[in-house]
Amino acid sequence: MPAYVHINLRIIDPAKQAALAPRFQTALQEAGGRILYFGRVAQVLEGDNMPLPMAGVLEFPTLAQALAFYESEAYAPIKAERREAQQATMFVVETA
């Protein structure tokens, strides 16, 4: 069953974000994932909490693959750099 990683973020260092993006995309593809969306939040539909201005949705064939990517040695240095480049909230869901 597919799994989807949802990211809500604000870029705090555009230069670092731009430098890590190609490495992130390569590592993601090698782990079997793909970007379905990455861009601005269009509109808040419900809720009192304002989201960060950008959002992303990543798709993986399985929850196990999504979690393996997040914890992988290949992603570890990118994850550390990503935390310097952006403020983010991230979670994963699995479809039934």
Side-chain angles (χ1 to χ4, degrees), residues 45-82:
L45 300 176
E46 291 187 29
D48 296 328
N49 294 333
M50 288 303 297
L52 298 171
M54 299 190 71
V57 179
L58 313 175
E59 180 183 50
F60 288 87
T62 66
L63 178 60
Q65 283 177 276
L67 296 174
F69 168 72
Y70 186 78
E71 297 298 334
S72 71
E73 288 183 28
Y75 182 53
I78 298 167
K79 186 186 327 182
E81 290 177 45
R82 185 184 54 75

Side-chain angles (χ1 to χ4, degrees), residues 12-13 16 20 79-87:
I12 55 177
D13 189 326
K16 285 183 181 179
L20 71 88
K79 186 186 327 182
E81 290 177 45
R82 185 184 54 75
R83 289 178 176 158
E84 294 176 3
Q86 54 184 241
Q87 172 190 359

Side-chain angles (χ1 to χ4, degrees), residues 19-53:
L20 71 88
R23 293 178 28 241
F24 172 81
Q25 291 173 11
T26 298
L28 179 69
Q29 290 172 354
E30 289 173 356
R34 68 184 182 122
I35 298 171
L36 294 181
Y37 178 77
F38 184 82
R40 302 219 41 92
V41 171
Q43 183 174 344
V44 176
L45 300 176
E46 291 187 29
D48 296 328
N49 294 333
M50 288 303 297
L52 298 171

